[in-house]
Structure formats: C-alpha cells, structure tokens
Amino acid sequence: SYAVTQPPSLSAAPGETARITCGGNNIRTRRVHWYLQRPGQAPVLLIYNVNNRPSGIPERFSGSISWSTATLTVSTVEAGDEAAYFCQVSDTTGDLPVVFGGGTQLTVL
Amino acid sequence: QLQLQESGPGLVTASETLSLTCNVSGDSVSSTDYYWGWIRQSPGKGLEWIGSIYGKMYYNPSLRSRVTISVDTYKNQFSLKLSSVTAADTAIYYCANSYSNGYWYFGHWGRGTLVTVSS
C-alpha cells in the first residue's frame, strides 16, 4: 500500500516561515490533505486537496506539491502554531484509500 | 453546525469486542453528503484510518477481518465494532466524516475517546 513520510520534528522562531514536508512516490498524482493537532485535542483540517483552506483557517497556512513532496507552509509562525501536523493522502488506486503520515511536531522557539 | 461525539467503554478485556458509538448532531447520518468513519491514534503515535461507511463499507485491509461499521438512522448514530482486541488496539478512537466527493478528507471530528485493552 501507499506510504508517506514526514520529518518527526521541526522548529521555527516566531515570525519565521515553517515548511513541513510529506514525501511519497508520485505524490503529485494523489490528493493531499493536512491536519493540525494540539495536545489533548482532535485533529483539525487545515488544507484539503493540496492547497484549499476550509473556512476559518488563516491564509498563513498554505499547501503546495511537487512530484515527490507535498509541503505545508506556515507563514509568520506564531506561538499558537506549536502542534503536531499530519499529512494525509487519498489513494483510490489501491485498497487503502486513506493513508496518514507519521506527523511532524512543530516547536515554536 | 455538524458535531460528532464518541461514546463507549473506556476499558475492554483482551480477546473481547470493542464497541463504540458516534452520535451525530447538526445533520442526518442518512445524508448523502458524507462518509462516516473511524480513525484511531495509539498513545504518542500517528493516526490510523480504521474504516468508513457510505452505503457500503470501506475498511483498512489490516483490520478488515475484525471491523464492522454500521449506521443507525433512527438514533442518528454510527458504530464501530472491533473484535478480538489485543493491547495493540489501545488507542484514542475518533469518529469523523469525509465528504462524498470521494476525496477522503475529514472535515469534522469527535473529541475522541480513549480505549484501553487490559489483559
């Protein structure tokens, strides 16, 4: 089945830009979504279908994709952005349509 | 606004069946707009999709033989049963919905419920 990989951790200072990656074979041919999870809370949908934001999600969060890597960009990082970020790939070509990455813990310095 | 809330036992004995229910408010579980699904997260670990239902059921192949997901339209709920549980099934279980556009992203989540499997 399809697999995606994320770096386990990333750090950024307030005001900087953080880029969280999600790697997978030919990931550009799949739908990629991103979630934020704060400690003790359920995940929240941040980005769907590569670069679409649900209502209420700030423009500071954006997504992009290349052939092998999807990227979540967090611009002007704030202290409240400290959380775990998960990518999720929709793969309707096989028998596992939902695959999550292992998550990246963003630490705001 | 659509809201989901999990309920069920927090402690299950190994080899028994884990049973959870997700109460849906703000929309009908019969709506053709959504798939209704379950996702779990082992302590300190990542997310694992268990399965979803939209008329027919869709399962994670690694759990297929042990999972049943069903809908109760009268109670506006959907349920998860996971049989023959082991310690590896200890996790926070979330119910969530995804849109029937087939893109499989989860827009609404319950708060999650911790289920511990004891021996």
Side-chain angles (χ1 to χ4, degrees):
Chain A
S1 60
Y2 194 75
V4 292
T5 57
Q6 296 183 242
S9 62
L10 182 69
S11 60
E16 291 185 338
T17 296
R19 294 180 177 84
I20 300 169
T21 59
C22 177
N25 187 36
N26 290 335
I27 197 170
R28 190 184 183 94
T29 64
R30 292 164 171 84
R31 306 284 180 174
V32 181
H33 322 295
W34 291 92
Y35 302 86
L36 170 158
Q37 185 179 35
R38 295 188 172 90
Q41 297 185 19
V44 173
L45 180 66
L46 272 181
I47 297 286
Y48 64 94
N49 291 348
V50 177
N51 56 7
N52 295 277
R53 283 185 308 276
S55 60
I57 300 301
E59 293 182 5
R60 301 188 299 106
F61 295 92
S62 62
S64 60
I65 200 163
S66 67
W67 274 112
S68 62
T69 303
T71 301
L72 172 70
T73 299
V74 185
S75 303
T76 319
V77 166
E78 302 174 355
D81 297 334
E82 184 161 294
Y85 292 81
F86 293 90
C87 66
Q88 179 225 317
V89 169
S90 305
D91 180 22
T92 56
T93 62
D95 57 1
L96 183 60
V98 178
V99 175
F100 287 99
T104 298
Q105 177 65 42
L106 175 63
T107 299
V108 180
L109 301 172
Chain B
Q1 182 180 354
L2 180 63
Q3 292 186 328
L4 307 174
Q5 178 64 60
E6 306 88 351
S7 62
L11 188 64
V12 181
T13 304
S15 80
E16 299 292 310
T17 296
L18 177 161
S19 296
L20 296 174
T21 296
C22 182
N23 186 68
V24 178
S25 60
D27 208 326
S28 171
V29 76
S30 300
S31 170
T32 56
D33 291 338
Y34 305 116
Y35 289 50
W36 305 100
W38 291 92
I39 296 159
R40 69 181 183 180
Q41 185 171 31
S42 300
K45 298 290 182 63
L47 299 163
E48 180 181 33
W49 175 70
I50 299 170
S52 297
I53 186 167
Y54 182 75
K56 62 178 275 189
M57 288 159 281
Y58 302 82
Y59 295 130
N60 186 322
S62 68
L63 299 169
R64 178 188 301 271
S65 64
R66 300 194 291 130
V67 173
T68 302
I69 297 174
S70 60
V71 170
D72 186 331
T73 56
Y74 293 102
K75 295 182 178 179
N76 213 36
Q77 298 173 337
F78 62 102
S79 299
L80 168 71
K81 291 187 185 299
L82 181 65
S83 63
S84 305
V85 297
T86 69
D89 295 310
T90 292
I92 297 172
Y93 286 75
Y94 296 99
C95 59
N97 74 336
S98 56
Y99 297 93
S100 59
N101 54 21
Y103 295 150
W104 288 101
Y105 56 90
F106 299 90
H108 297 89
W109 297 63
R111 291 187 174 183
T113 186
L114 175 62
V115 178
T116 302
V117 177
S118 67
S119 55

